Structure formats: structure tokens, C-alpha cells
Amino acid sequence: MKINKKLRSALVTFAIVIIAFLVCEAGIEGWVDGFKLKFAEKGLLVPICCYIVLAVSLNLIVGISGELSLGHAGFMSIGAFSGVVIATWLEKAVLTINDAGKTVPFFGDTAIIIITIIVAGALAALAGVVIGIPALRLRGDYLAIVLLAFGEIIRNVMNCVLVAVDGSTMHFALKINESSAVGFGQGMQMVINGAQGTVNKVTSAAFNNERFIIGFGLVIFTLFVVLNLINSRSGRAIMAIRDNRIAAESVGLNVMKYKMMAFVTGAALAGMAGALYGLNMKTVTAVDFDYNMSIEILVMVVLGGIGSIRGSVIAAAVLRFLPEKLRFLNDYRMLVYAIVLIVVMLATNSPILKNFWALLMRVKPLRVAVEWLQALPGKVRAAFSFGKNKNGKAGEAQ
Amino acid sequence: MKKRLVDTKMVPLPSVSIVPERDVGKRPVLETRHLGIEFGGLKAVEDFNIAVGPTEICGLIGPNGAGKTTVFNLLTKVYQPTTGTVLIDGKDTSGMTTEQANRMGIARTFQNIRLFGNMTVEDNVRIGLHNQIRYGMLQGVFRAPAYWKAEKQMHKRSLELLSIFGMQDMADVKAGSLPYGAQRRLEIVRALATNPKLLLLDEPAAGMNPHETEELMQNIIKIRDEFQIAVMLIEHDMNLVMGICEGICVLNYGRIIAKGTPEEIQQNPAVIEAYLGSQGREENA
Ligand SMILES: Nc1ncnc2c1ncn2[C@@H]1O[C@H](COP(=O)(O)OP(=O)(O)OP(=O)(O)O)[C@@H](O)[C@H]1O
Ligand SMILES: [Mg+2]
């Protein structure tokens, strides 16, 4: 069977993610002697999964749909905060009696996290619809600025939200100034405490392999959705609108519909990542999700290559891991990080380095070797294909 | 006298225009009434009235800057007219978008080619088929049976359409890397994929060699006959215009200065002065 180029590229992306996951699992479980992940490294795994999802979903909006968004952290924030509330409610309200006659949460931890991720994703999608309908009518820089403002509005609103739980009842309030909402939540367990952020009592902050597996599952799900979307009727429409809006309209594509589709899908995935992120931390605060975080995600997308899903996956993982690896540099850590970033940007955009490969190919022995290697799969296939009808049309092409 | 590839008797319509004899009594696929647009005081098109029969090949000619492309942009709703209306198949299209106009049955190519250059030839045609062969987003994401069925249908139909111009072997080539003439042909295929009633071609022969142009003329007639659609084309190549157009409309400074059969147009003094005249002088010089 002929595997087409797009499918092969998608399979390679999945393979990279799965292999990376297995290597991490080996390091966690100690499958191989002498290879064990350090405590700090393990702590990075779930956030890395979240950032991969964020980068891929932002790439759907920026790279595939071609709309610059500077407010992606806003959707993550919605996912993170609503996630903690949903998870708390699931734990408190949906109870069952176990064998020992005790009342316990109906759901296990894993189920709570998965349900929470799904619901939080739906809420972020809703926010995507609400913000997308007016904002996507704007183009280019104007859209970017509106989305930047959206991210900041979410941050400021989340800074004022108070949520407490009393038994299984949730209480909500807005703390607009010092005198409002005084005495709110007295004697109750706080879930979101304004500027102090979330109080997550559902999941422990310690590294938990199950949560990492959920994170891995979320990455796979995201890749599945985004790659399949790209290689479908809707995805082609999204990219056609990006490449040439007038031509796309002239063949009957509904521009708003497909811009919304990419935007809302991106928002939903970001919300899902946010929910997992929020549940993985003891506490997250609204200021965590400011425009710096939106920019950080955008850097991952740009570094990995705008429109390249695999690039986003790799860039997100590397950029989250790098600062950890640079820890030995102490105070110079972020400086070196920034320099590495600049160098990589320059290198990937430099025509000299782009031509490096072409230059190498001028060396005859190398060229012969590479050509031989490239021809190898074909030779192998030819050797194993029996009785295939070969009325090739190659001669007729010109 | 230029060589004629078609021989149609043209009949005047009571309203504004002439149509081929075979289209008499049928509703015109396109009608415009007092169509006009202003760009900051400049009347780019003014009082443009025309009717196109459902199987007519109609030419729109005029010197550079006469407003021909602007007329196409008005018909396809890229611009909203400042005056007048466009009727497609008898239906008023006021306030419609380009996308809706396409769904009404009007498809076009562009003077400055607008292909999806990074996509393959086949994907360009598949995008043209967007509203013809459909399935939902979720069916696509989760690879439902509808996805496989429709994609297979699209593949088959794309190759069929490409084969009109013998381009089926280039299906996997990147559209942007095609030679110029092939890009123009691909634009026609993509427009045809939307199953239009009226095909608008903006300088389809620009950049083509005489041999390619000759082939294009044959193919335009073939498309009209096979699909039973109307074709309206803008072209500077008089061999093409006089060779295949049944009715011709001449624009100058945004106004129609003549309408008629190729023979009438070639003899019209106003046209000779405004358009053919300048060329004629060049030829004589
Ligand atoms: N969007 C616009 N804004 C302002 N003026 C415009 C616009 N579009 C077209 N015009 C003007 O309208 C006039 C007609 O332009 P148009 O492109 O329709 O000419 P054309 O007949 O297609 O010429 P050509 O044969 O060179 O393609 C020109 O004077 C042009 O400058
Ligand atoms: Mg023009």
C-alpha cells in the first residue's frame, strides 16, 4: 500500500511522542539500570505535556489558520481555574458508599482529572466562541491586540474570583475591592481565593505517574485532533483561507466559519491543557497566566516553525526542559536561555545554514552515499514486490 | 477577419442585450441593471447593463484600466456596487458575500493568479469541491466512514476535472511550482469544481503561447458544451475573443461603448477608435 506523505509525517510525529514517553517512563520506573529521572525532572513532565498541547493548539490558530493570537494563556487560565472548581465539586458532591461503609468520592482521582479536563475544555471552547465572534472580524495586528486584551481581562477577572465549598455546595463571589465580599467563605474550604489563586485539595502536588500518563494521553489526543483536522475537508478550507482569502471566498468557503473552527478548537485544547496544569499544582494564581505566558507559548510555535505541528511539540518540550538543564549556571540561567533562543532563531532562518545541506551535497562521496541511502527503500520494495502490474504511466506525464 | 471557431446566430433581447438563438426564451444566467461603482469619486464602472444567456460565451473587452476586472469583482461581490444590481439566474444578489455569490452559481479565475500555491494541484481542486462533496468537521477528525467515502469521491472527481486539461498526472505537484499556463488552467479547473452556472475568466490566455491559447479556446468551448454553462471572459488576445465569443461587450472608461457580435464589434467605429484602433495603428506602424 502506498502511504502518502501527510500520513507518513503524522506517523513520525506520533512515533517521536510515544518514544519520548517510553523513555520518560523508563526513567521513572527504573526499567534501565543507571537511568533514573531526578526529582526536579519528574516535576517537569506534566507541565511539558501541557505546554506541548498549548503550543500545538496555538499553532492551529497562528500557523494553520494564520491569525496572530497573543491571548492563548487566557484560555489556559479559564481551564485551570474552572478545572479546580469542577474537580473539587466532583470530589465533594458525587459520592458513593464503599465496602467499609464509608462515604467516598464516586470517582477515582484519574476519573476526576479526565472528566474535569473534558468539561474545562468545553468551557474554554465556549469562551472561544464568545471572544471569537467579535474578534475574528478583525485582521492582523488588530486581532492580536484584542486577544492580548482578552488575556489580560481574564487575568484581572480571575484575580477577583472567590469560590468556596461548603459540604457539597459551591459558593461564588467577586472581590472587587477590599470591602466587598468581606467574610465570604468563613468556615468553608476555599477553592479559589482571589489573587492568592487556587487551593487544590483534590490532587497532590507530588509527582504522580498516572497524571503523567493522562498528560501523555492529552498530547496524543491533541495531535490526533489537530493532524486529522488539517488533513480533512475543514482543514483544507482553513488553510485555503489563510493562503488566499479572496480565492477561498470565490470558491464558496465561509471564512468566518472556518476561522472560528480553528480558533475554538485551539481554545478548547488550551483549556484542557490548563485544567491538567491547574490540577497538577498545589496552587496557581491568575498572574501566572499573563501575557508573558502567551508570548512564551508563541515563542514555542515560532521556534518550532509556524505551521509545523511536530516542530511545536519538540520546541515546547525543549524550551521547558532547557532552563532546568541550565540550572548549574545559576544567575546567568535566563540570560543563556535567551541567547540560545536568539541563536536558534537566527540559525533556523539563516540562508547560509539552510544552504548548509546543499553545500554538503556538493562533496561527491557524501552525495553518492546519501543518494544510495535514499534509493534504498525503493530497492527493497522492488525486491519484495512480486507480480505487480507495472503499466507505469511515467512516460506519458510530459 | 479573425478565424471563427463557433458559428452562432445572435438575437436581440427586448431589454438590453443580445443572446445566442438557442438561449432565446430561457432566463439569462446573468443580468445586471445600472451596475456601477465609485472609488473615491472615480467612477470605475458606470451604468453597466448586460444579459448573458445560459450557454453563451461572452467576451468583455476594453483597453487597460477600462474597468473589466472591476466588473468581475462586482459580479462576484468582492466589491459591493454603489449603484444597480446583479441578478444571477433571475435572483437578486444585493448584499450577498462572495461566498454566497459562488453558491448561487458564479465562479471565477483571477487576472493575477490566486492559487493555493503551497498545496498540491489536487488539493486545490478539492477545495473547489468543498460545497459539492461534504462531510462534517467531527467526521473528519474522527475519520468516520463518511470521511473515507467523501475523500474517495473527491479524489475521483478531482482527477476527472483535471483531465479536461490533461492535468491528471500533475495531481501531486505543488500548485505554485506549475508553469504559468498550467496555473491558469488549474484556476479554471478549481472554478469548475464549484459547479457554477456562469464561469468568469479574467485574461485566461495571458502568458500563454499561441499553441496553448489555441488549445484553451478548444477547451473553453468543450467546457461550455459539456457542462452546459455560460462563460464570460476578459481577454486582450483578439484571436481568442473573436474566435470563440458569441456576444461581445466593450468597455471604455467604465462605460459600455458597444455590444454585439464579433463582426459588429470589429466594424464599430467607436470600438476601433477606443481599442482596436490603437492596436491597428501599432500593427500598421
Ligand atoms: N480597489 C480599487 N480602489 C481604487 N481604484 C480602483 C480599485 N480597483 C480598480 N480601481 C480603478 O478602476 C479602474 C479600472 O480598473 P480595472 O482593474 O477594472 O481595469 P481592467 O479593465 O481590468 O484593466 P486591465 O486590462 O489592465 O486588467 C482603474 O483606473 C483602477 O485604478
Ligand atoms: Mg483587469
Side-chain angles (χ1 to χ4, degrees):
Chain A
M1 196 188 109
K2 189 184 145 216
I3 295 185
N4 77 36
K5 238 163 82 185
K6 289 170 195 160
L7 180 60
R8 186 168 355 141
S9 156
L11 289 177
V12 170
T13 309
F14 279 109
I16 290 172
V17 172
I18 291 169
I19 290 168
F21 170 72
L22 290 176
V23 170
C24 292
E25 281 298 316
I28 294 161
E29 305 281 359
W31 291 342
V32 185
D33 276 347
F35 177 56
K36 195 116 176 114
L37 286 184
K38 287 200 263 319
F39 180 75
E41 288 166 345
K42 280 200 277 191
L44 281 175
L45 293 179
V46 177
I48 284 179
C49 290
C50 296
Y51 272 91
I52 290 176
V53 172
L54 287 161
V56 170
S57 59
L58 184 62
N59 205 345
L60 176 63
I61 298 171
V62 175
I64 307 301
S65 172
E67 301 292 357
L68 182 54
S69 166
L70 296 177
H72 212 52
F75 296 115
M76 186 186 182
S77 175
I78 290 174
F81 283 92
S82 63
V84 174
V85 174
I86 295 158
T88 308
W89 183 79
L90 279 175
E91 194 193 34
K92 302 273 177 195
V94 191
L95 300 169
T96 186
I97 306 212
N98 73 0
D99 295 341
K102 271 193 190 157
T103 330
V104 294
F106 176 71
F107 301 108
D109 259 14
T110 309
I112 288 186
I113 297 176
I114 292 173
I115 296 170
T116 301
I117 287 175
I118 294 169
V119 179
L123 288 175
L126 194 68
V129 172
V130 171
I131 179 79
I133 287 174
L136 289 175
R137 289 175 196 283
L138 302 170
R139 294 191 197 173
D141 304 346
Y142 298 96
L143 174 70
I145 289 165
V146 167
L147 293 179
L148 178 74
F150 155 75
E152 291 302 287
I153 290 170
I154 294 289
R155 176 170 73 86
N156 282 302
V157 170
M158 288 305 175
N159 240 338
C160 307
V161 172
L162 297 172
V163 180
V165 60
D166 175 22
S168 64
T169 323
M170 309 297 287
H171 298 264
F172 295 84
L174 273 182
K175 186 178 179 180
I176 294 159
N177 53 37
E178 280 310 312
S179 59
S180 67
V182 173
F184 172 82
Q186 229 140 48
M188 301 181 207
Q189 177 197 324
M190 291 305 288
V191 181
I192 298 176
N193 195 2
Q196 283 151 42
T198 61
V199 185
N200 172 13
K201 295 215 163 133
V202 184
T203 51
S204 76
F207 175 77
N208 169 314
N209 195 17
E210 261 164 46
R211 223 179 296 146
F212 175 47
I213 294 171
I214 293 175
F216 165 72
L218 187 58
V219 170
I220 294 287
F221 173 75
T222 302
L223 288 174
F224 181 84
V225 168
V226 173
L227 291 171
N228 277 355
L229 178 64
I230 293 174
N231 295 319
S232 75
R233 172 176 172 267
S234 310
R236 279 193 298 267
I238 291 168
M239 291 185 286
I241 290 164
R242 169 199 68 187
D243 285 353
N244 202 318
R245 188 184 165 117
I246 291 184
E249 281 178 298
S250 84
V251 292
L253 302 190
N254 183 338
V255 171
M256 240 345 235
K257 175 178 165 189
Y258 288 103
K259 279 190 184 303
M260 282 295 285
M261 188 182 282
F263 190 72
V264 172
T265 308
L269 291 170
M272 292 171 114
L276 180 62
Y277 190 86
L279 285 179
N280 191 54
M281 304 278 174
K282 188 116 213 95
T283 177
V284 290
T285 56
V287 283
D288 291 343
F289 307 103
D290 63 354
Y291 65 88
N292 275 320
M293 188 177 255
S294 295
I295 300 286
E296 197 182 342
I297 304 165
L298 189 64
V299 167
M300 291 167 180
V301 172
V302 174
L303 197 69
I306 291 185
S308 160
I309 301 300
R310 193 191 304 159
S312 292
V313 173
I314 295 169
V318 170
L319 285 187
R320 280 270 101 187
F321 211 64
L322 196 60
E324 189 54 40
K325 288 279 109 180
L326 293 176
R327 220 167 254 289
F328 68 94
L329 294 166
N330 299 327
D331 291 348
Y332 300 106
R333 188 162 69 108
M334 290 326 276
L335 181 67
V336 173
Y337 173 83
I339 291 172
V340 169
L341 211 67
I342 292 170
V343 169
V344 173
M345 287 282 186
L346 287 177
T348 48
N349 285 305
S350 136
I352 298 171
L353 276 169
K354 268 190 188 155
N355 290 335
F356 183 66
W357 186 241
L359 272 175
L360 272 185
M361 283 298 98
R362 288 211 192 141
V363 184
K364 195 164 179 217
L366 267 176
R367 190 175 61 229
V368 173
V370 170
E371 276 167 6
W372 187 82
L373 277 175
Q374 280 174 338
L376 200 58
K379 281 181 196 155
V380 173
R381 220 177 296 133
F384 285 96
S385 66
F386 303 106
K388 272 223 180 113
N389 195 357
K390 278 195 185 165
N391 50 355
K393 281 190 174 171
E396 283 172 35
Q398 255 68 56
Chain B
M1 195 59 202
K2 314 265 182 183
K3 187 178 96 191
R4 294 277 288 153
L5 295 186
V6 290
D7 182 25
T8 315
K9 184 153 178 265
M10 298 300 281
V11 184
L13 267 187
S15 57
V16 285
S17 213
I18 54 169
V19 294
E21 198 176 21
R22 63 175 180 279
D23 285 344
V24 172
K26 294 185 198 146
R27 186 171 49 216
V29 66
L30 171 76
E31 239 188 298
T32 62
R33 297 197 182 136
H34 311 294
L35 195 61
I37 188 166
E38 265 182 45
F39 293 115
L42 170 83
K43 287 186 171 140
V45 173
E46 212 185 336
D47 201 25
F48 184 84
N49 296 298
I50 194 175
V52 178
T55 61
E56 180 178 346
I57 299 179
C58 155
L60 181 60
I61 63 174
N64 289 108
K68 305 179 295 294
T69 300
T70 306
V71 167
F72 272 19
N73 284 337
L74 286 169
L75 298 180
T76 55
K77 298 287 162 184
V78 173
Y79 298 149
Q80 295 297 338
T82 33
T83 61
T85 49
V86 177
L87 304 171
I88 298 176
D89 218 13
K91 287 182 227 52
D92 193 342
T93 62
S94 302
M96 280 191 184
T97 60
T98 304
E99 172 226 338
Q100 286 165 327
N102 175 261
R103 286 171 194 236
M104 297 278 296
I106 188 162
R108 71 176 291 186
T109 67
F110 297 88
Q111 183 172 357
N112 48 341
I113 299 172
R114 287 175 177 273
L115 284 172
F116 308 116
N118 287 322
M119 299 189 203
T120 64
V121 167
E122 183 177 337
D123 277 350
N124 271 270
V125 185
R126 282 177 186 230
I127 289 167
L129 289 169
H130 187 85
N131 291 326
Q132 306 305 313
I133 303 173
R134 328 172 54 117
Y135 58 86
M137 174 213 178
L138 290 179
Q139 287 172 319
V141 167
F142 295 104
R143 296 292 193 242
Y147 163 86
W148 299 106
K149 198 172 146 232
E151 288 289 319
K152 208 170 140 188
Q153 249 179 304
M154 281 190 189
H155 175 66
K156 193 166 152 259
R157 186 80 185 123
S158 306
L159 293 189
E160 263 170 36
L161 288 165
L162 283 168
S163 71
I164 297 172
F165 290 101
M167 292 174 75
Q168 66 276 30
D169 293 326
M170 302 177 194
D172 293 328
V173 179
K174 220 175 85 173
S177 66
L178 287 177
Y180 203 67
Q183 293 198 12
R184 290 223 173 270
R185 290 188 283 269
L186 178 55
E187 268 210 329
I188 299 178
V189 175
R190 182 183 67 187
L192 269 180
T194 67
N195 194 22
K197 297 183 183 116
L198 169 66
L199 182 62
L200 305 179
L201 307 176
D202 199 341
E203 304 200 8
M208 285 190 182
N209 60 40
H211 173 72
E212 280 181 306
T213 307
E214 186 70 29
E215 246 178 31
L216 178 70
M217 289 163 70
Q218 304 285 357
N219 280 322
I220 291 173
I221 295 172
K222 187 170 106 186
I223 287 168
R224 192 271 311 271
D225 292 343
E226 253 176 52
F227 292 79
Q228 286 292 306
I229 59 175
V231 179
M232 186 167 172
L233 56 91
I234 297 174
E235 191 45 71
H236 287 295
D237 182 334
M238 283 306 130
N239 282 321
L240 187 147
V241 176
M242 299 302 166
I244 64 172
C245 291
E246 296 159 322
I248 293 176
C249 172
V250 189
L251 269 187
N252 199 14
Y253 296 112
R255 285 186 154 274
I256 294 178
I257 56 168
K259 262 188 281 194
T261 63
E263 295 75 23
E264 288 163 6
I265 294 298
Q266 285 174 78
Q267 283 147 25
N268 187 311
V271 176
I272 293 169
E273 181 47 42
Y275 189 84
L276 299 171
S278 60
Q279 269 200 351
R281 275 198 293 276
E282 276 165 35
E283 274 165 25
N284 293 337

